[in-house]
Amino acid sequence: MSMSRENSPKSLMTPVYNDITKDNIHSQLHAIKDCLSKASFLAIDTEFTGLGNRQDGLHASNLDERYENLRNSVKNHALLSLGITVFEEKSTQVASHLEQRYNVHNFNFTLFCRHEYKVTPKSLEFLLENGFDFNKQIRHGIPYYPGNDSPHAKPEDHGSIMRAIIAHIFTLNVPIVVHYGLMDLLYLYYSFYADLPEKMSSFIADLSEMFPAGIYDTKYLADYVTRENVSFLAYLFRKEQKEQKHQGIKRHVTTIVQDRLPPAKLLREKEAAAASSSDYINSTKNGKRKNSSKPYCEQYAYHGFCHEKMKCGKSHDLDLILDDHEHKNRQKRRKISIRECVKSKVSNLDSNP
């Protein structure tokens, strides 16, 4: 996959996005809906104030019990931001038959729940370390009330406008892409649709009606379809890039990130890239690898985060991690091949005394 901006040199750059707050959601509503209506598929991600504790039964083996615990967690916490990426497939007359091209529009909705809610310190710490601006969220976040529609809500209220945008998505009949997205879907449902059903079966039935074209979870695909050993997004993306380059695969997807929707103010992400991306950029300058002699962090390699964060003395370089994983896989395949060869020779000796 490649990423580019129209009329821009093909260089590594941070995608731009439309920053939607209470200050501009009214003026942008028509443009947002128009953009959504052109979608071939949508990707959705959320940030929220916490997951709850492990002892809350969020991983209960009984699915109905797990849903009930997740439901309680969502109702006690709050959605802080909603990210929506619109992928609009370009005409095949423009694109090569070996290439799929998409115009991409990124939206970030900063939200401010008006109900009381809990916060999990680790979640807030994670958001802060990744550049989330809580001052902006409180001052400019789109105010909303979760659960069922209020009978006193007016169409021009900020919360009503957010519900109208989400309701518009339900009418599109396009695939929805998430990554480890159950909590995203629970928060989306509770924040801008209705109170969460008591039964998991009702929730699933509602999701089927909301998104009739299907929900595709890339973590599920990585874990249970392609059977990846590691399934956090940055790792999967870099791995796919390296494999396509190594195998000389010519068919690819090009995403062309579009500029802001006028008259919204164009924002670039100013925070430093995550440690993995930063390591990758620095390691590939002038063809030289950074931290190639430093042992990599096992926790980051398999989970995509590190409790030690910047204090960690080990490398978070994804290329270093991928190279080591590939080396280990080659060794494993070689051992299997040798074992099979030995078995074959022993079998031949037994059959020819």
Side-chain angles (χ1 to χ4, degrees):
M1 176 183 287
S2 61
M3 297 178 61
S4 63
R5 286 273 306 283
E6 291 281 23
N7 304 319
S8 298
K10 292 185 177 180
S11 59
L12 186 63
M13 58 193 311
T14 302
V16 298
Y17 62 94
N18 294 280
D19 191 48
I20 309 299
T21 67
K22 69 177 183 180
D23 303 318
N24 64 358
I25 190 170
H26 287 89
S27 62
Q28 291 283 39
L29 178 60
H30 178 75
I32 293 169
K33 284 187 173 182
D34 182 63
C35 184
L36 288 169
S37 297
K38 299 175 183 177
S40 302
F41 66 92
L42 299 173
I44 293 176
D45 187 32
T46 65
E47 301 295 347
F48 35 85
T49 62
L51 293 168
N53 299 315
R54 186 174 293 274
Q55 57 265 32
D56 293 335
L58 303 183
H59 301 285
S61 57
N62 182 285
L63 292 182
D64 289 318
E65 181 183 346
R66 184 188 302 185
Y67 169 77
E68 182 180 357
N69 295 329
L70 289 170
R71 174 177 177 268
N72 292 334
S73 176
V74 169
K75 295 184 69 171
N76 285 319
H77 292 83
L79 198 61
L80 297 177
S81 71
L82 168 65
I84 300 176
T85 296
V86 178
F87 291 83
E88 176 192 356
E89 189 168 11
K90 297 194 71 174
S91 170
T92 54
Q93 294 179 351
V94 176
S96 163
H97 69 285
L98 293 176
E99 177 187 30
Q100 285 181 282
R101 306 190 76 190
Y102 292 90
N103 284 340
V104 174
H105 296 271
N106 296 311
F107 296 91
N108 181 67
F109 297 84
T110 302
L111 307 168
F112 187 28
C113 180
R114 304 302 294 178
H115 278 181
E116 291 186 358
Y117 54 84
K118 294 180 179 179
V119 297
T120 302
K122 285 187 177 180
S123 295
L124 298 189
E125 184 182 37
F126 169 81
L127 290 170
L128 187 64
E129 289 172 349
N130 285 275
F132 191 86
D133 188 341
F134 286 97
N135 287 326
K136 172 188 169 184
Q137 186 253 338
I138 294 171
R139 291 172 179 165
H140 303 286
I142 300 165
Y144 73 95
Y145 291 89
N148 295 324
D149 280 324
S150 169
H152 306 294
K154 300 177 181 179
E156 64 271 17
D157 291 346
H158 292 96
S160 297
I161 294 175
M162 274 303 305
R163 286 178 182 261
I165 291 171
I166 302 305
H168 184 67
I169 291 176
F170 297 157
T171 69
L172 299 178
N173 194 21
V174 297
I176 303 297
V177 179
V178 294
H179 185 79
Y180 207 18
L182 178 57
M183 292 298 286
D184 296 322
L185 296 170
L186 285 165
Y187 271 105
L188 191 68
Y189 187 112
Y190 178 61
S191 300
F192 303 118
Y193 182 64
D195 196 6
L196 285 165
E198 293 185 2
K199 300 293 184 181
M200 181 180 67
S201 57
S202 299
F203 175 67
I204 294 173
D206 285 348
L207 284 184
S208 298
E209 291 185 3
M210 294 172 179
F211 307 116
I215 300 169
Y216 297 82
D217 193 315
T218 50
K219 180 170 174 59
Y220 177 88
L221 294 174
D223 285 340
Y224 299 105
V225 178
T226 60
R227 298 289 180 177
E228 304 289 344
N229 293 323
V230 182
S231 57
F232 65 92
L233 272 177
Y235 181 96
L236 294 173
F237 180 75
R238 192 80 76 239
K239 181 174 183 286
E240 186 68 19
Q241 279 187 319
K242 289 171 71 69
E243 287 183 352
Q244 288 194 4
K245 182 178 180 180
H246 177 71
Q247 297 173 13
I249 298 175
K250 295 181 179 180
R251 185 174 181 85
H252 60 281
V253 175
T254 298
T255 56
I256 306 169
V257 181
Q258 304 298 297
D259 283 337
R260 69 191 185 280
L261 298 176
K265 184 179 180 181
L266 178 64
L267 293 179
R268 290 182 181 275
E269 294 179 341
K270 296 182 180 179
E271 296 296 324
S276 60
S277 298
S278 177
D279 280 349
Y280 175 74
I281 294 169
N282 293 328
S283 68
T284 53
K285 285 184 178 179
N286 302 320
K288 296 181 179 179
R289 294 286 301 278
K290 181 183 177 182
N291 295 332
S292 58
S293 61
K294 185 190 294 185
Y296 63 79
C297 173
E298 291 282 349
Q299 184 183 29
Y300 180 81
Y302 288 98
H303 303 288
F305 68 91
C306 172
H307 288 306
E308 297 297 324
K309 304 177 181 68
M310 299 303 293
K311 296 179 181 178
C312 181
K314 298 181 180 180
S315 174
H316 292 173
D317 183 350
L318 277 173
D319 279 327
L320 176 63
I321 294 167
L322 282 162
D323 288 346
D324 183 67
H325 286 184
E326 178 57 28
H327 175 68
K328 289 178 179 177
N329 287 335
R330 283 198 301 268
Q331 286 185 320
K332 185 177 180 180
R333 290 193 295 268
R334 185 170 180 271
K335 288 180 180 179
I336 293 174
S337 177
I338 292 173
R339 191 181 304 122
E340 293 298 322
C341 182
V342 170
K343 284 183 179 180
S344 176
K345 289 182 178 180
V346 170
S347 177
N348 289 335
L349 288 173
D350 290 341
S351 60
N352 298 292

